């Protein structure tokens, strides 16, 4: 459960923005950042007390997170942070790779100057964050980069599909590995350069490789976490 969550020094119940949206943003951030772990139960009463709100906005927020695939509910376990099996992860990777690839191709075809300038600005912010060691800032910048990239594709339906899929795959593409975070931004730069050059094939290829690489990094991390620890005897026999 996220602790001591505050917005502008106030509890959420004291804010004037939509309580549903505020609670949604706080719980989603806790899930994506890893403060709430896969399989961890989400208890409405605890969130309501922590955030200083009634249970209704908490319930609405959890329902919205469920539609994104970040929250599951069963009669046995109740409501909990979603756990993605490896086969489901691979399905998400395959579909997102295809869509991101096609979107990058469209972006290279249209080359909207204003949109590309916006993407370049986000890319530079990412580089600055890396140079300053502010790796936690990259998650939000990553969302901004891919949102802007979707806009550059100039296909509203594709952009909508990508937005939904990125929300569902948020847990997969928020790695704790600093090396992978840096690599992500190097790959972002490569995608953008191909788009600026108008090279549709290269932009599509790089976008697909980016998604597949990030997804495989997640699967490798899961395998390492689930691998049984070997005894000293086993290690000495190798």
């Amino acid at each position: 459960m996220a602790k001591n969550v505050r917005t502008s020094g106030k509890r959420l119940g004291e804010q004037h923005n939509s309580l549903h949206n505020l609670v949604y943003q706080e719980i989603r951030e806790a899930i994506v950042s890893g403060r709430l772990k896969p399989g961890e139960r989400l208890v409405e009463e605890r969130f309501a007390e922590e955030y200083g709100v009634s249970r209704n906005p908490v319930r609405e927020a959890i329902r919205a997170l469920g539609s994104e695939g970040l929250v599951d509910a069963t009669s046995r376990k109740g409501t909990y942070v979603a756990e993605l099996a490896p086969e489901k992860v691979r399905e998400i990777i395959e579909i997102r790779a295809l869509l991101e690839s096609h979107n990058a191709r469209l972006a290279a075809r249209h080359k909207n100057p204003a949109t590309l300038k916006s993407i370049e600005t986000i890319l530079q912010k990412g580089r600055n964050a890396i140079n300053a060691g502010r790796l936690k800032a990259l998650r939000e910048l990553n969302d901004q980069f891919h949102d802007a990239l979707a806009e550059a594709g100039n296909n509203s339906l594709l952009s909508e599909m990508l937005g939904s899929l990125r929300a569902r795959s948020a847990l997969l593409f928020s790695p704790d590995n600093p090396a992978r975070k840096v690599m992500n931004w190097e790959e972002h730069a490569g995608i953008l350069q191909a788009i600026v050059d108008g090279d549709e094939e290269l932009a599509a290829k790089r976008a697909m490789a980016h998604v597949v690489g990030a997804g495989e990094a997640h699967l490798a991390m899961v395998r390492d976490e689930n691998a049984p620890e070997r005894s000293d005897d086993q290690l000495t026999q190798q």
Side-chain angles (χ1 to χ4, degrees):
M1 172 71 188
K3 298 298 182 183
N4 299 321
V5 177
R6 298 290 184 270
T7 303
S8 302
K10 298 180 180 180
R11 293 202 302 173
L12 298 185
E14 299 169 344
Q15 304 298 308
H16 298 294
N17 198 353
S18 164
L19 285 180
H20 159 234
N21 286 334
L22 287 169
V23 174
Y24 161 82
Q25 291 166 10
E26 294 290 352
I27 299 177
R28 188 181 191 279
E29 169 64 18
I31 292 173
V32 173
S33 68
R35 296 199 305 275
L36 289 171
K37 306 296 183 183
E40 185 170 348
R41 286 195 63 200
L42 304 177
V43 182
E44 291 180 5
E45 293 87 346
R46 290 170 58 190
F47 283 114
E49 180 179 357
E50 175 67 22
Y51 298 153
V53 301
S54 70
R55 290 177 59 182
N56 284 338
V58 174
R59 186 177 299 115
E60 292 175 7
I62 290 176
R63 186 180 299 117
L65 291 166
S67 69
E68 291 186 6
L70 294 178
V71 169
D72 282 335
T74 66
S75 57
R76 181 175 62 86
K77 293 182 63 175
T79 304
Y80 58 96
V81 179
E83 299 175 282
L84 293 177
E87 57 271 18
K88 179 61 67 175
V89 171
R90 291 194 178 280
E91 290 178 0
I92 293 174
I93 293 170
E94 289 174 359
I95 297 301
R96 182 170 171 184
L98 287 171
L99 294 183
E100 294 279 10
S101 175
H102 185 58
N103 181 76
R105 183 188 302 277
L106 293 177
R109 184 176 305 169
H110 294 293
K111 292 202 304 180
N112 181 286
T115 305
L116 294 184
K117 183 177 180 180
S118 175
I119 297 174
E120 176 59 40
T121 299
I122 297 168
L123 186 66
Q124 188 57 51
K125 288 181 179 180
R127 288 168 171 156
N128 293 342
I130 291 171
N131 292 335
R134 295 183 290 104
L135 298 187
K136 290 183 178 180
L138 293 179
R139 185 172 60 253
E140 181 178 350
L141 289 170
N142 182 74
D143 289 343
Q144 293 177 16
F145 178 87
H146 283 285
D147 286 344
L149 200 62
E151 182 181 348
N154 198 34
N155 184 310
S156 59
L157 180 57
L158 178 57
S159 179
E160 181 181 335
M161 293 171 66
L162 280 170
S164 175
L165 191 57
R166 282 199 302 273
R168 186 174 294 272
S169 60
L171 291 175
L172 311 185
F173 298 95
S174 295
D176 291 327
N177 186 334
R180 182 64 222 182
K181 287 184 177 182
V182 174
M183 186 182 300
N184 283 344
W185 284 87
E186 292 174 352
E187 293 173 357
H188 287 170
I191 295 168
L192 179 57
Q193 187 59 58
I195 291 172
V196 170
D197 292 342
D199 192 331
E200 296 184 23
E201 292 299 325
L202 185 58
K205 180 180 179 179
R206 287 178 173 174
M208 177 172 287
H210 172 61
V211 174
V212 171
E216 290 297 335
H218 171 82
L219 288 171
M221 181 183 68
V222 171
R223 285 195 297 268
D224 290 343
E225 290 177 348
N226 295 333
E229 293 187 8
R230 287 175 287 183
S231 66
D232 291 340
D233 289 341
Q234 289 175 306
L235 292 174
T236 56
Q237 291 173 6
Q238 292 186 352

